[in-house]
């Protein structure tokens, strides 16, 4: 991003919560400065479109299915097409899959 006054590339300073600057809602406030002329800039982005709780739950279900499919593909690449027939690989799969479920439940 270029400085409005002199055209020099701006340098990122920091990101803040909107409440720190008197704004309400979720979002981000970013500060930038110009190394050439000393101008400072503040950008504000307030996020309006947050997902509802039902959308978050549905999104997590989809993400879990994707993670499970990726894990199955990973096991197939590592141990061959018949890994499901071997007890030790099934146990390893269950442990990794349970870890995925734990992570999604924490979110």
């Amino acid at each position: 991003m270029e400085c409005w006054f002199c055209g020099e590339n701006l340098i990122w300073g920091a990101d803040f919560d909107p409440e720190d600057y008197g704004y309400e809602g979720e979002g981000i406030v970013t500060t930038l400065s110009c190394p050439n002329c000393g101008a400072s800039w503040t950008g504000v982005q307030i996020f309006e479109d947050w997902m509802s709780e039902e959308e978050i739950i549905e999104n997590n279900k989809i993400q879990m299915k994707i993670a499970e499919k990726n894990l199955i593909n990973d096991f197939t690449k590592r141990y061959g097409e018949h890994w499901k027939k071997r007890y030790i690989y099934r146990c390893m799969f269950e442990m990794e899959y349970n870890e995925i479920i734990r992570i999604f439940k924490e979110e």
Side-chain angles (χ1 to χ4, degrees), residues 15-33:
D15 293 330
F16 300 93
D17 288 326
E19 296 84 29
D20 296 340
Y21 281 76
Y23 295 99
E24 291 185 20
E26 295 292 326
I28 191 167
V29 176
T30 300
T31 58
L32 306 164
S33 63

Side-chain angles (χ1 to χ4, degrees), residues 68-84 89 92-93:
E68 180 182 14
K69 184 177 180 180
N70 289 341
L71 185 60
I72 289 170
N73 289 339
D74 181 52
F75 265 70
T76 302
K77 285 178 187 174
R78 281 193 272 170
Y79 307 116
E81 289 291 326
H82 303 290
W83 67 267
K84 293 180 187 176
Y89 296 139
M92 290 167 50
F93 177 85

Side-chain angles (χ1 to χ4, degrees), residues 75 83 85-94:
F75 265 70
W83 67 267
K85 294 179 181 178
R86 299 211 40 209
Y87 180 74
I88 186 70
Y89 296 139
R90 287 196 324 266
C91 291
M92 290 167 50
F93 177 85
E94 286 295 320

